[in-house]
Each structure stands twice: as structure tokens, then as C-alpha cells.
Amino acid sequence: MESSSSSSTDRITWRASVLTRHLNEPSSSSSPRPLESSICMQFSPPELSEKFDFDVIEMRKLMDGHNFQDRDWLFGLMIQSKLFCPKDSGGKVFVSPDYNQSMEQQREMTMKRIAYMLDRGVFQGWLTGRGVETEMQKFAFFEVIGIYDHSLAVKLGVHFFLWGGAIQFFGTKRHHVKWLKDTENYSIKGCFAMSELGHGSNVRGIETITTYDSATGEFVINTPCESAQKYWIGGAAKLNINGSNQGVHAFIAQIRDADGNICPNIRIADCGHKIGLNGVDNGRIWFDNVRVPRENLLNSVADVSPDGQYMSAIKDPDQRFAAFLAPLTSGRVTIAVSAIYSSKISLAIALRYSLTRRAFSVSPNEPEVLLLDYPSHQRRLLPLLAKTSNLIGLGLEVAHIVEFLNETSCCSEIFLSYLCYRYAMSFAANYLKRIYVKRTPEANKTIHVVSSSFKATFTWHNMRTLQECREACGGQGLKTENRVGHMKGEYDVQSTFEGDNNVLMQQVSKALLGEYIASQRRKKPFKGLGLEHMNDPCPVIPATLTSSTLRSRQFQTDIFCLRERDLLNRFAAEVSQHQAQGERKEYAFILSYQLAEDLGRAFSERAIFQAFIESEVTLSSGPEKSMLSLLRSMYALITLEEDASFLRYGYLSTDNASSVRKEVTKLCGELRPHALSLVSSFGIPDAFLSPIAFNWIEANSWSSVQH
């Protein structure tokens, strides 16, 4: 016991003497000695080492497609105002919403930002303007707003595209005169309440009932049960005339007075906190026999006379229902496009970070390797860039480094794949906007099918891109200020609003089947929806695929068309077989869902590829065209690699599939030196990215904490 006690005392005495010496040690200077800079990682701007072999401004014009000066003007307008929360970090100013604010504060800031832009004429002509130029400018402004904050864009989308769009397209002159100008000026604030607790994508199934009272000349709107409550705000109801259900129609109903108080016979509740979009005040609405004037029926498709007679030039209920839904495609168009810009933000941040962040050395005393010089990192992001640019030589030891990197991982290649997706989908988004703003009644089916497929494809891909970029940024991707991680919660909703993606893709396959059946019955060639290739002889894929063949535009076109052609034939045959066994057409379609999914994907990816080619052929020979050729090949081959249909149905042999994979790796190496110039072509100002895209060491320094 004594020995143990003595030992403890000795240890205490020794520790006390060490602490005393430490505390009393004379300091050579008033400030702490700096760490040796030679052993610390230093930030070096990638612009000092990366190449720019093509004109990024010209490439940006090709990708954005329109209204470049308008976009830059609105970017500048946001950066100038404190409402957009400018913050200095690492010697740069960044603008981004303060997501640490409460839900109520975020909503308040959304309305203040809208008021700021309203006062400066941003929304002028959004509802009262006419012509292609006005609509394209509206798209450009809306895309810029979405780059800053998804909540702000969604709030404006509900007001202008859904409420305002309903007045424009469902209404007639009396509604336009009364409502459009006041909506554009925000004298009236509107919402669009179609979704219900019990019915979202199935609009035909909504349960809200509207009955016409001919004695008073009013419609009576009622929520008959809890599942009929309007959910997520978003005014549609089934119309009963003399006891007959005439289907879904749209009405204007006032839910608040001029002072913001809830109107009689209306009940409203908040949807509560969400995983994202908390700057949007989503709500629920119950109608307790609310009366609205007969004139509040939006009557472009159908009307009711004062004595209660139902009138419509479209006698077929299905065609009438389709006419009601046609104007809603604007929502899918804007969602598809915003998904592209969300992916561009995350890729620009993740790729710029990977061009300055290093990890692991090839051998002792050698510099650590840049993340983007790992083949696996290239494969993570650069194909996505193409769908949306070989290792950098590191002196005389490049061969050893390549061998080391190939053995360790393949993450850079994935990064490069994501980069390529962005280019392809940008061109497809521009095509979608063009056919929408130049729409005619005859083009409604094409717009519906293309917007449905692109909305599903782009938003699914956006969530995949955000997750990949979040992981590629490591721990820094978790910080809200670095945007990428937080954007996952903000954009997740895109997969289900304005139509569940899986349901939309089934509609695409159903439309293609309809075209197939019509062509067979009429014994006439296919026309429309890009199916004209079905009239040509079936493409033949070479037994052996060389590198030059794989990069050939003809081969790429042939195999995309072969897949779509074969899957449409298979789908039609399977549905027909189920019907021959006694199943109803609709159920036969449901039973064939796997082929329907494959066909929907094949249609969408062929249409995207076609839009890419149409953009590429507009360029004369030069560095931009050469770069697009590389990106097009990356998009085509990564699609072949990722879709099991090409192997499942025998369009590629296993040997050829292996050749495709090797070619993708080669393309990643060829695109790697151009990664910075490719993301710079996105045209997103530095202020709308994040600190880790630039001097992330300075942004995390002790001085930044004190500041």
C-alpha cells in the first residue's frame, strides 16, 4: 500500500513539474510560431495549370441557348442586394439563402426577394407579354432564380406558371382582363389546388365536388371527405350538372380577403416543416360549400349556361380531360430545366474542388495526387458532365503514377461521366423549351410525351448527381454553405411533383404503344415523336466493335434506335398477348410494366441523343465541335454501359460490352484535361457556387472563424 501511494505521489509531482515548465517557458515572440509552410497543403487555383482549348463563352452560349445578357443582369441584381445574404469566405463573396433561419423566416425572406425583383421589373410580361422572345426571357430569368434558391423558384412557379398559367390557358378573355395583369403585378396572389390527400398523379380520381345552382347562378364547391382535402396547395374539382358528373374542371375561388384573413367556409392548415423547400408555404384547404360566381369557371374547354346547360365543343370526355391537362406541361418543362441547372451547380463545385484537393502519395516524399487525377474520380463525374472533359502528366514518373492510380481506384471516371450527362441534357432541355414556346394544338401530344420523359429522366439524374457530388466532396459536402448536400433535400421533391416520375414514364410508353397500334392499323409509316426511324430497315450492329466504330455517330444512332424499335415491338407483343389471354387493355399494360420502363428510358435517351446531335451539327469544324464530339461519344457509351437492356436483349455481346467499358475509360482520360473549361462553360458566376469550389483552405482558416 505504501509503495503504491508513493508511486502515485511521484507521478503527480512529475506531471505538476511538466506543467509548470510548460506554463513558465519564455516565448520568443508575442505570437505563436507559424507551422512550417513547406509541410502544409497549399491552395493553387486550377486556372494556373488547367488548359482552355476552346472558347468557354461560345460553349456557354450553346448550352444556355438564349438570353445570356438577361441572365447576367439578373445574376448581378441578386449579388447587389443584402436580401440575398452575401457572405465573404476565402476572399470571395457568395450568395445563398440562410437555411439556419426558421421556416417562418425563410418564407418571409422568399416574399421579400420576390418584392425586390418585382420592383425592378423582373416579372414584366410574364403573363401579359406575347411571343417567343418574351417566353424565352421568362425561362432564362426563372432558371437564374432557381440557381440561387429552389424555394424562391417554386414559389414563383406556383404563382406564375400554375395559377397564372391556369388563367391564361383554362380561362377566356373575361378572365384574362380581370386577373392576369393583377397577378403579374402581385396585386393578387394565387395558388393552384389540384392535388388532394387521396389523389396526386391520378387527377381523374380527385374527390372535390362542384355543383351548379341555377337558382343563384353560382357553383358550390365542397370537400366531401378528408381524403378530398387539397394538399400541397397547388383549383380543380369534379363538376356535377343536374346530377351528372362532367369530369375535372377548374374554378377560381377566393380563399383570403384583402387583409389576408381566411374567407368564410374555407379552412386552411399548414403542411408543416419539410426536408427542403421551407421557403414555400405549402398548405391544405377544405371547402365547406363555398359559393363562387358562374363566371369563375375557367371555360376555354367547357362552359355552363345560366340555366345550367353544360356546353363543350369537345364531346369525348377523354379528349376533354386531355385538353384540360395540356396547359400543365409548363410545370414539367420548368422542372426538367431546373434539374439541369441544379446538377450544373453541384458538378461545378465538386469538380473545382477535385482540381485542388489532394489525397495520398504515389510513393514516400512525393506530392499527394489531385482527386481528379484518380481514374475512379473521373469516372464518377465526367460522364455525368457529358450526359449533362488522360491523367495530367506529372513529370517523368507519369507511367508509374498511372499504374498506381489504376490499381487504387476508379473515382475520377465516374465524375467525368456525370459531367457528360449535363451537356447532353442541356441541349435536350433547350429543345424542349423551343417546342413548348412554339407550340400548336397539333403538337400537344409531342410536348406532353417529351416533357414527361425529360422531366422524369432529368430529375432522377439530378438526384444521382447530387449524391455523387456530395460524396465526392467528402466531409465538406455535408456543410450547408457548400450547397451540394443541402440541395439534395431541396430538389428531392422534383421526382414526384407535377407527376410521379414512374407514372410519367408509363404515360410515355402508353403513348408510344398508341402510335404503334395506329400505324399498324392504318398501314402507314410512323410520323411524330421521333419514331420515323421505325420506317427504315432495322439497323445491324457489327459483330466486333472497334474504338473508331464505338465513337462513330452512325453506330451510336443505330444502337439507340435499335433498342427503342425492339423494345416497342416487344412491348406491343406482350400487351397483345395478355389481352389475348382475356385481360383488359389497361391491366395488360400494367402487367407489362417492366418492358414499359425499359421502353420509356429508351425513348428518352434516344431523344436526348438526337438533340445533342442537332446541336453538334450546327457548329463548323473547330475546337468546340471537337469537344462536343468527345462529349457525345461519352454520353452514348456511358448510356450503353449503364442500361442492362443492351445486354438483356442482345443488342451488345458481352465482349462488345467490355469494349464499351474500356472506351469510356479512354474518353475519361481525354476529357480530364478539359474539366475546368467544361464546368466554366456552365456560365454560373462564382458567387453562386460555394467556398470549396475555390480557396477552401482560406475559407476554413482560423482568421475566417474570428471574422
Side-chain angles (χ1 to χ4, degrees):
M1 284 289 289
E2 289 182 7
S3 175
S4 175
S5 175
S6 174
S7 176
S8 292
T9 302
D10 289 345
R11 284 200 300 273
I12 292 170
T13 302
W14 176 76
R15 288 175 180 170
S17 66
V18 170
L19 283 171
T20 301
R21 286 198 305 271
H22 173 71
L23 293 171
N24 293 333
E25 185 179 41
S27 177
S28 59
S29 64
S30 58
S31 60
R33 286 181 298 173
L35 294 172
E36 293 291 335
S37 61
S38 61
I39 63 170
C40 286
M41 185 176 288
Q42 301 293 309
F43 174 81
S44 177
E47 286 82 359
L48 299 179
S49 56
E50 298 297 308
K51 61 165 68 174
F52 285 78
D53 286 347
F54 61 87
D55 190 329
V56 297
I57 295 176
E58 289 303 311
M59 189 69 87
R60 182 219 171 168
K61 289 180 179 179
L62 193 64
M63 291 187 70
D64 277 342
H66 58 95
N67 296 91
F68 323 109
Q69 293 180 338
D70 289 327
R71 294 171 193 267
D72 291 341
W73 172 78
L74 185 52
F75 279 131
L77 200 66
M78 291 179 175
I79 295 171
Q80 293 168 15
S81 173
K82 293 188 181 301
L83 285 172
F84 294 86
C85 305
K87 178 184 176 183
D88 184 278
S89 182
K92 277 185 172 289
V93 174
F94 298 95
V95 290
S96 180
D98 183 358
Y99 295 112
N100 292 315
Q101 291 180 322
S102 67
M103 183 173 69
E104 291 74 17
Q105 289 172 321
Q106 290 186 52
R107 292 175 177 181
E108 182 182 356
M109 288 304 297
T110 296
M111 291 309 300
K112 286 182 177 180
R113 290 166 185 144
I114 289 173
Y116 172 82
M117 291 187 288
L118 178 68
D119 290 343
R120 285 150 185 81
V122 174
F123 311 130
Q124 185 175 348
W126 277 33
L127 291 172
T128 59
R130 294 291 181 269
V132 171
E133 290 184 6
T134 299
E135 290 213 55
M136 294 305 273
Q137 185 192 59
K138 178 170 64 175
F139 275 130
F141 282 162
F142 193 71
E143 289 155 19
V144 169
I145 291 166
I147 287 172
Y148 173 74
D149 179 31
H150 196 209
S151 282
L152 183 57
V154 168
K155 184 71 175 176
L156 290 167
V158 168
H159 181 75
F160 284 103
F161 291 97
L162 293 181
W163 155 255
I167 303 299
Q168 267 187 324
F169 301 120
F170 295 152
T172 52
K173 186 176 181 179
R174 73 188 188 210
H175 305 106
H176 299 165
V177 171
K178 185 174 181 178
W179 303 99
L180 286 182
K181 187 65 177 177
D182 284 348
T183 296
E184 186 175 284
N185 294 336
Y186 262 90
S187 300
I188 293 172
K189 299 180 181 71
C191 62
F192 185 79
M194 184 165 70
S195 296
E196 296 179 352
L197 177 61
H199 292 88
S201 295
N202 181 16
V203 178
R204 286 182 185 268
I206 63 173
E207 298 171 295
T208 300
I209 298 295
T210 298
T211 306
Y212 182 64
D213 184 349
S214 58
T216 62
E218 296 172 312
F219 290 106
V220 183
I221 305 174
N222 189 51
T223 303
C225 52
E226 288 297 344
S227 59
Q229 63 180 274
K230 295 299 180 181
Y231 220 95
W232 303 117
I233 67 164
K238 284 186 176 177
L239 175 59
N240 276 358
I241 302 293
N242 298 323
S244 176
N245 181 359
Q246 298 295 344
V248 176
H249 291 68
F251 302 84
I252 298 172
Q254 186 173 353
I255 61 175
R256 292 183 184 271
D257 63 22
D259 297 321
N261 302 307
I262 298 173
C263 292
N265 300 329
I266 298 283
R267 288 175 286 151
I268 296 177
D270 200 291
C271 286
H273 196 274
K274 308 178 288 288
I275 63 171
L277 292 181
N278 285 300
V280 180
D281 51 337
N282 294 104
R284 303 145 62 192
I285 307 173
W286 293 257
F287 299 92
D288 300 325
N289 294 317
V290 176
R291 289 180 171 268
V292 301
R294 183 181 67 88
E295 292 76 17
N296 282 22
L297 168 65
L298 296 174
N299 61 340
S300 66
V301 175
D303 204 353
V304 175
S305 67
D307 63 350
Q309 299 301 309
Y310 184 77
M311 303 173 294
S312 177
I314 306 174
K315 303 305 178 184
D316 183 271
D318 291 336
Q319 293 180 5
R320 195 161 62 233
F321 178 70
F324 275 122
L325 294 186
L328 300 180
T329 53
S330 65
R332 289 195 292 274
V333 173
T334 56
I335 291 167
V337 175
S338 73
I340 298 299
Y341 281 94
S342 166
S343 297
K344 286 179 180 179
I345 295 166
S346 61
L347 278 166
I349 292 169
L351 276 161
R352 291 190 69 98
Y353 184 56
S354 71
L355 286 166
T356 60
R357 181 69 157 85
R358 296 177 178 271
F360 303 104
S361 300
V362 178
S363 57
N365 302 319
E366 288 294 323
E368 291 183 278
V369 179
L370 284 172
L371 293 184
L372 199 59
D373 284 340
Y374 284 95
S376 62
H377 217 67
Q378 293 169 16
R379 208 173 221 281
R380 291 177 86 172
L381 297 181
L382 293 186
L384 289 176
L385 182 95
K387 252 182 171 178
T388 345
S389 264
N390 246 293
L391 294 170
I392 289 181
L394 299 178
L396 297 175
E397 287 141 348
V398 66
H400 301 294
I401 294 175
V402 169
E403 181 181 356
F404 163 76
L405 295 177
N406 285 334
E407 288 174 356
T408 54
S409 69
C410 65
C411 110
S412 290
E413 292 183 17
I414 299 175
F415 244 180
L416 287 158
S417 72
Y418 278 70
L419 200 58
C420 296
Y421 277 108
R422 294 282 62 78
Y423 273 78
M425 291 181 182
S426 292
F427 299 138
N430 289 333
Y431 161 73
L432 177 58
K433 285 185 284 186
R434 286 195 302 272
I435 63 172
Y436 176 78
V437 300
K438 297 178 180 179
R439 62 193 176 277
T440 62
E442 296 76 25
N444 280 341
K445 178 188 285 188
T446 298
I447 295 171
H448 169 70
V449 173
V450 174
S451 65
S452 296
S453 68
F454 283 7
K455 184 265 183 183
T457 302
F458 294 1
T459 56
W460 272 330
H461 195 75
N462 181 39
M463 293 310 299
R464 176 188 169 192
T465 301
L466 289 171
Q467 180 63 30
E468 201 69 62
C469 290
R470 209 298 297 155
E471 293 180 25
C473 292
Q476 291 294 323
L478 293 176
K479 295 183 68 175
T480 303
E481 71 172 8
N482 288 327
R483 300 202 67 182
V484 180
H486 185 84
M487 287 169 67
K488 287 169 54 187
E490 291 289 311
Y491 282 89
D492 201 345
V493 66
Q494 289 191 335
S495 299
T496 51
F497 75 179
E498 293 295 317
D500 177 279
N501 282 354
N502 288 287
V503 175
L504 291 178
M505 279 304 213
Q506 289 172 16
Q507 291 180 9
V508 170
S509 297
K510 189 177 291 187
L512 296 175
L513 179 61
E515 291 296 308
Y516 180 92
I517 293 172
S519 176
Q520 297 295 309
R521 285 177 178 170
R522 295 192 308 260
K523 298 187 184 302
K524 289 185 177 181
F526 286 89
K527 184 178 181 181
L529 297 180
L531 294 176
E532 289 81 2
H533 67 87
M534 299 280 291
N535 304 319
D536 300 329
C538 185
V540 177
I541 305 303
T544 301
L545 297 178
T546 63
S547 177
S548 60
T549 302
L550 288 169
R551 299 191 187 202
S552 156
R553 192 165 68 196
Q554 187 62 56
F555 160 75
Q556 294 162 4
T557 302
D558 284 349
I559 198 161
F560 274 88
C561 291
L562 173 63
R563 175 181 56 158
E564 185 179 23
R565 168 199 293 260
D566 181 64
L567 287 172
L568 181 50
N569 285 325
R570 288 174 183 268
F571 182 54
E574 187 168 297
V575 171
S576 178
Q577 182 181 7
H578 287 308
Q579 288 181 278
Q581 294 169 352
E583 303 292 355
R584 296 193 313 274
K585 181 179 179 181
E586 283 299 316
Y587 192 60
F589 181 84
I590 291 171
L591 290 174
S592 305
Y593 75 95
Q594 289 178 315
L595 274 169
E597 290 175 356
D598 291 341
L599 175 58
R601 177 173 181 172
F603 169 83
S604 185
E605 291 175 344
R606 190 267 308 152
I608 293 168
F609 179 75
Q610 189 173 339
F612 202 138
I613 289 176
E614 289 172 0
S615 295
E616 184 183 350
V617 298
T618 63
L619 297 178
S620 54
S621 297
E624 289 82 23
K625 190 180 184 75
S626 297
M627 182 54 58
L628 285 188
S629 177
L630 278 179
L631 291 166
R632 185 241 310 144
S633 289
M634 175 67 93
Y635 170 75
L637 298 187
I638 200 69
T639 301
L640 266 60
E641 185 181 59
E642 291 182 347
D643 185 6
S645 294
F646 289 101
L647 275 172
R648 183 185 297 131
Y649 302 110
Y651 315 137
L652 287 176
S653 66
T654 54
D655 286 344
N656 281 339
S658 178
S659 298
V660 168
R661 190 172 196 184
K662 291 176 182 177
E663 200 63 30
V664 169
T665 301
K666 289 181 186 177
L667 284 165
C668 284
E670 292 173 39
L671 288 169
R672 160 61 187 91
H674 308 286
L676 182 61
S677 54
L678 287 168
V679 295
S680 297
S681 301
F682 291 165
I684 302 172
D686 294 354
F688 290 80
L689 299 179
S690 73
I692 59 165
F694 302 96
N695 193 340
W696 45 272
I697 295 178
E698 178 62 27
N700 287 281
S701 67
W702 177 247
S703 61
S704 71
V705 175
Q706 293 175 309
H707 176 71

